Amino acid sequence: MAEKRRDQRDVRGGREGAQEVGESRTSGVRDEEFRAWQALVATARRTVAEGLVVGTSGNVSVRVRDTVLVTPSGVPYDRLTPDDLTAVDLDGRQVRGTLVPTSELPMHLAVYRTTDARAVVHTHAVHATAVSTLVRELPAIHYMAGALGGPVRVAPYATYGTEELAENMLHALADRSGCLLQNHGTLTYGATLDQAYDRTAQLEWMCHLWLTASSVPGLTPTLLSDDQLRAAGERLRGYGQRE
């Protein structure tokens, strides 16, 4: 992996407009970006620690003004350092670092271009991925679906890293802050990394809940109505401590 990372640096070293982070500390890169990078790495490591991804199968991004910091492709999260900061602009041009950005960059950028998202988390969570192969929409098994805007849709399958997948995802995300990706995983976004991550974890939990309840022979889970989900969503908007 160390050789791979060196190769990536060599390949990307000549990218026009990219900037070595080690040098950037003396070249005016905002402290804001370094703090965001630290939070991004912590979130990416959390997805592994809590079983939402295996290895480097998921990816995380955070937006700082018009710059999008992203996890690099194929690098284990426990090996990321401050010098590995990787960022692109909203058109996908690399503006920080030399490591190749995540292959799922089209999905992340599509979210930032069309929503008010400040952070995106994509995982290959087991239960959510299993549900994505069974239904077109996660059955309304729990009111926390209201926190995502309503019933969670499944985006039709497309090859990973493609614009087709990004387009399918956007349709599934309409009026939602999370969706399932058929035979692939999950994607959620939020105003912060913590919120985006929490939505991912809640989505995986709801998928686990539905699979568990629906596996009982001879019984069918009760589901919530659209009105019940809307009421829960409105109530959840006021949930938690006030600033």
Side-chain angles (χ1 to χ4, degrees):
M1 183 58 68
E3 293 179 358
K4 181 177 180 179
R5 293 176 67 190
R6 283 195 296 271
D7 290 343
Q8 285 186 323
R9 292 178 190 280
D10 291 340
V11 170
R12 305 296 285 190
R15 175 182 281 272
E16 184 177 356
Q19 184 179 46
E20 289 280 5
V21 174
E23 296 174 358
S24 71
R25 289 198 181 98
T26 59
S27 303
V29 173
R30 302 182 184 94
D31 289 341
E32 183 180 7
E33 291 183 2
F34 285 109
R35 291 193 297 271
W37 175 253
Q38 291 174 333
L40 180 149
V41 171
T43 300
R45 290 174 178 171
R46 190 178 174 190
T47 64
V48 176
E50 298 188 8
L52 298 178
V53 304
V54 175
T56 63
S57 60
N59 30 77
V60 179
S61 68
V62 61
R63 180 174 177 174
V64 178
R65 304 184 190 188
D66 289 332
T67 299
V68 177
L69 282 61
V70 297
T71 48
S73 178
V75 180
Y77 302 139
D78 61 356
R79 299 186 188 181
L80 291 175
T81 72
D83 287 337
D84 294 322
L85 191 155
T86 304
V88 299
D89 63 19
L90 293 173
D91 292 321
R93 291 185 292 264
Q94 189 156 0
V95 295
R96 301 280 186 268
T98 57
L99 294 179
V100 178
T102 172
S103 59
E104 296 291 10
L105 188 60
M107 280 204 302
H108 289 258
L109 293 179
V111 173
Y112 291 119
R113 290 171 186 152
T114 57
T115 74
D116 59 357
R118 309 305 295 184
V120 175
V121 176
H122 166 52
T123 78
H124 291 182
V126 173
H127 300 97
T129 305
V131 169
S132 80
T133 70
L134 298 172
V135 295
R136 294 184 178 180
E137 183 178 276
L138 173 64
I141 193 72
H142 196 272
Y143 67 78
M144 281 305 296
L148 299 177
V152 179
R153 307 182 188 101
V154 178
Y157 181 80
T159 304
Y160 81 93
T162 62
E163 294 293 342
E164 180 185 6
L165 177 59
E167 186 66 23
N168 291 349
M169 172 213 64
L170 283 181
H171 287 300
L173 276 181
D175 300 318
R176 303 287 186 270
S177 55
C179 70
L180 298 176
L181 307 171
Q182 190 176 59
N183 295 81
H184 187 155
T186 70
L187 185 137
T188 58
Y189 70 84
T192 64
L193 279 165
D194 283 344
Q195 185 180 61
Y197 182 87
D198 182 66
R199 287 172 172 170
T200 295
Q202 292 286 356
L203 180 52
E204 166 67 356
W205 179 82
M206 285 189 289
C207 289
H208 191 181
L209 175 63
W210 180 71
L211 288 171
T212 301
S214 61
S215 68
V216 179
L219 296 176
T220 301
T222 59
L223 301 176
L224 302 176
S225 68
D226 288 344
D227 286 342
Q228 288 171 323
L229 284 183
R230 277 193 293 270
E234 291 172 4
R235 192 171 183 84
L236 284 166
R237 279 196 286 272
Y239 177 77
Q241 300 298 313
R242 304 292 189 272
E243 291 292 337

